């Protein structure tokens, strides 16, 4: 059974240059930020170019920053645009500022800890997504599993149901 705190997806802390550590967790607000920034959580996971031929540091700040938001952590600052269809998108990078002193998270991240940051991010995001039930996703070509509704029974505000073949009597007979 998943505990409420498990849904936050915390899986360790990362060190910052000022000697502090911040836990990484990905509650729905964090996942929504990543989705708004990258288009989907899957795209966010692919944002870091591991080949060395594309961007890695900027996306890493974005991914780690989303895991640092919340009480005692960092606050996201971003520009949001609405397109002609009414869809909202975050344009550009999100700046994550520490709530207590306003310091930018990017100024506190240590280049020598990149491997640890990526490892902690992957573990925390995986835990958050599993806590949301994504580890039970259908694996049979997208077939929807059958669901069963459980009713607590009749109460003073409900009436018993009748079969679909039931025809009420007409008035006057």
């Amino acid at each position: 059974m998943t505990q409420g705190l498990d849904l936050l997806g915390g899986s360790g802390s990362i060190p910052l240059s000022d000697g502090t550590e911040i836990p990484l967790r990905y509650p729905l607000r964090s996942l929504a930020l990543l989705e708004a920034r990258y288009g989907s959580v899957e795209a966010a996971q692919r944002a870091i170019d591991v080949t060395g031929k594309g961007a890695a540091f900027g996306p890493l700040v974005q991914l780690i920053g989303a895991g640092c938001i919340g009480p005692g952590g960092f606050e996201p600052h971003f520009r949001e645009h609405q397109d002609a269809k009414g869809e909202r998108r975050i344009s550009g990078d999100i700046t994550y500022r520490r709530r207590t002193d306003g310091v930018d998270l990017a100024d506190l991240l240590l280049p020598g800890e990149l491997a640890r940051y990526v490892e902690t991010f992957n573990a925390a995001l995986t835990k958050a997504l599993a806590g949301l039930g994504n580890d039970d996703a259908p694996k049979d070509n997208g077939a929807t599993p059958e669901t069963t509704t459980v009713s607590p029974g009749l109460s003073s505000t409900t009436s018993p149901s009748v079969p679909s073949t039931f025809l009420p009597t007409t008035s006057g007979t």
Side-chain angles (χ1 to χ4, degrees):
M1 176 178 224
T2 302
Q3 299 294 319
L5 291 177
D6 290 342
L7 292 176
L8 297 178
S11 284
S13 297
I14 58 167
L16 301 176
S17 64
D18 64 356
T20 61
E21 288 200 358
I22 183 92
L24 288 187
R25 26 180 214 281
Y26 293 87
L28 285 177
R29 181 177 180 210
S30 296
L31 296 174
L33 271 175
L34 291 175
E35 189 175 71
R37 172 64 178 87
Y38 291 101
S40 71
V41 174
E42 183 179 319
Q45 290 175 294
R46 293 189 317 260
I48 298 174
D49 179 7
V50 294
T51 67
K53 297 178 182 178
F57 302 117
L60 188 59
V61 171
Q62 298 297 297
L63 300 172
I64 290 172
C68 294
I69 64 172
F74 290 75
E75 185 65 29
H77 299 269
F78 53 87
R79 288 181 183 254
E80 188 175 42
H81 291 93
Q82 187 172 357
D83 66 16
K85 294 181 181 178
E87 294 182 28
R88 294 177 175 263
R89 291 273 183 230
I90 292 176
S91 60
D93 286 339
I94 302 169
T95 302
Y96 294 92
R97 298 207 176 271
R98 190 163 37 196
R99 290 173 181 252
T100 56
D101 58 11
V103 175
D104 189 326
L105 175 65
D107 293 334
L108 296 170
L109 295 175
L110 300 161
E113 295 288 342
L114 289 178
R116 181 171 173 189
Y117 293 162
V118 171
E119 181 180 307
T120 305
F121 159 74
N122 282 328
L125 188 64
T126 299
K127 186 174 181 182
L129 295 176
L132 293 171
N134 288 337
D135 56 341
D136 298 336
K139 295 172 181 66
D140 52 343
N141 297 331
T144 306
E146 187 176 323
T147 58
T148 305
T149 304
V150 178
S151 171
L154 298 177
S155 71
S156 62
T157 59
T158 60
S159 302
S161 60
V162 295
S164 61
T165 55
F166 176 80
L167 296 174
T169 58
T170 59
S171 61
T173 48

